[in-house]
Amino acid sequence: MQRVGVAILGLGTIGSAVAQALAVQHDLIAERTGLQLVLRAVFERSAERATRADLDPDIIATDLATVLTEDGLDVVVEVLGREQPAADYMVRCLDAGFHVVTANKEALSKHFTEIVTAATNAERAIMFEASVGGGVPLLVSYRQILATNRVTRLRGIVNGTTNYILSQMASAGTSYTDALAEAQRLGYAEPDPTGDVEGFDAAYKLAILASMLSGRHVHPDEIQRTGISGVTSQDIDGARHRGGVIKLIARAELDDGGALALSVAPEFVPNDELLAHVHANYNAIEVVGDRVGPVVLSGQGAGPLPTASVILSDIVEAVRTGVAANPAFPHG
């Protein structure tokens, strides 16, 4: 049985869920994969968060250098959120010889070339399934499609928080304010929901997918972005009368010349389309390839438990596959 030492950077909602999942799923993962995942270190500067997580105080560190000198460490899970210091920390962990698993779509989308290059140079894996689809194993299928198809279009719902809010407004007649409050109560939305409701989160995810599609770094600033904070109950009713719903849609379209058209915005979706029936905190994305045609992937896109599940899968994949798991990304 191979022992795999794991460190977690950050004990917020996702980091705490990962720590709990490591404890609860330890035996199942060992039985099915032959890997014993052992939590060796946790980086967290908030004493309150560290106490609330109910972990062994001896594994809590308040500086990254302490984490990186931990004996038996193999994989670092970065769930700090925001751009910095997360992006720098990921590069430092890779340079130090550790695989990195991240759910941080902002840092990854803004520093994609830098992070992937660091991973490749260090011959270590950078795994980021949870940064794009939450609990949806999207990138596994996406990589396979990209390997054998010319993908011309991506279109879908990639933010579970906004989808939950819009679903509540449509199905229960809830106001935007009340639907947002309920999303926060359920843990789908952060106390400051700006990143979700103004479309930043969806733009970060689309930038990562578009970077993999185009073979160059697509920065989120290249994406035309409109959030859902301006969507009213009247807009929802109007869509219903027209035979559809309003969804926050992320789309990328690649023309024959290689130019990308990128947008995140609320759109009318007719009821005869699958995306109209993606409810609550679920995500769904359609990938269109020249060989495979349209492929739709769906699952829970928001919430700590689905995200922690995907992170554990990425840890296993990082150890099993190593640098070969990294995206083919030749240009900056």
Side-chain angles (χ1 to χ4, degrees):
M1 187 76 69
Q2 181 181 352
R3 292 172 66 85
V4 177
V6 178
I8 300 173
L9 308 186
L11 280 175
T13 303
I14 301 302
S16 297
V18 173
Q20 182 185 40
L22 281 169
V24 172
Q25 301 293 98
H26 177 273
D27 292 343
L28 176 67
I29 293 171
E31 177 185 342
R32 294 187 175 177
T33 69
L35 301 176
Q36 287 186 331
L37 305 187
V38 181
L39 185 57
R40 296 285 192 186
V42 174
F43 170 81
E44 179 53 67
R45 288 177 175 159
S46 167
E48 179 185 352
R49 281 184 172 181
T51 301
R52 192 168 59 239
D54 194 27
L55 298 171
D56 180 354
D58 290 340
I59 70 171
I60 305 296
T62 56
D63 63 281
L64 183 64
T66 300
V67 173
L68 298 184
T69 57
E70 180 64 35
D71 290 337
L73 185 61
D74 301 287
V75 182
V76 177
V77 176
E78 185 282 306
V79 282
L80 292 167
R82 300 190 182 278
E83 179 182 0
Q84 295 292 2
D88 286 345
Y89 282 8
M90 281 191 268
V91 172
R92 286 178 61 184
C93 291
L94 291 162
D95 288 345
F98 304 115
H99 303 298
V100 170
V101 174
T102 183
N104 191 329
K105 72 280 296 185
E106 180 177 4
L108 190 62
S109 67
K110 293 180 178 179
H111 299 270
F112 198 79
T113 302
E114 178 186 0
I115 293 169
V116 172
T117 299
T120 302
N121 289 344
E123 297 187 348
R124 291 297 181 266
I126 172 68
M127 307 296 297
F128 48 93
E129 185 78 63
S131 71
V132 178
V136 186
L138 167 64
L139 294 184
V140 173
S141 298
Y142 186 52
R143 292 173 195 264
Q144 291 177 341
I145 295 169
L146 285 176
T148 57
N149 286 257
R150 182 178 186 273
V151 173
T152 56
R153 186 177 68 186
L154 304 172
R155 174 175 174 265
I157 298 162
V158 297
N159 182 271
T161 301
T162 51
N163 199 52
Y164 177 84
I165 292 170
L166 293 172
S167 295
Q168 288 296 104
M169 293 176 70
S171 64
T174 309
S175 69
Y176 169 80
T177 301
D178 288 345
L180 171 58
E182 180 66 6
Q184 290 171 318
R185 187 187 70 79
L186 293 171
Y188 298 155
E190 298 291 337
D192 179 359
T194 303
D196 289 315
V197 300
E198 297 303 338
F200 289 100
D201 177 87
Y204 299 149
K205 294 173 180 177
L206 181 60
I208 293 168
L209 293 171
S211 294
M212 296 174 68
L213 169 63
S214 65
R216 69 171 181 85
H217 182 188
V218 176
H219 195 280
D221 287 349
E222 297 179 46
I223 297 170
Q224 294 184 345
R225 174 187 52 79
T226 304
I228 69 164
S229 59
V231 176
T232 65
S233 297
Q234 289 76 19
D235 295 327
I236 299 293
D237 290 340
R240 182 183 299 113
H241 291 312
R242 292 170 59 195
V245 294
I246 292 177
K247 298 290 187 182
L248 185 69
I249 299 296
R251 64 168 66 239
E253 296 185 359
L254 185 69
D255 67 21
D256 292 338
L260 274 172
L262 302 160
S263 65
V264 169
E267 294 185 11
F268 172 78
V269 181
N271 285 330
D272 60 1
E273 292 192 13
L274 179 61
L275 292 181
H277 304 282
V278 178
H279 302 304
N281 67 320
Y282 277 70
N283 281 3
I285 188 163
E286 180 186 64
V287 181
V288 180
D290 61 347
R291 301 291 181 184
V292 74
V295 175
V296 178
L297 301 158
S298 180
Q300 291 193 76
L305 296 183
T307 304
S309 173
V310 168
I311 287 173
L312 293 190
S313 296
D314 265 1
I315 293 172
V316 171
E317 185 65 18
V319 174
R320 283 178 163 176
T321 309
V323 69
N326 293 347
F329 193 71
H331 304 298

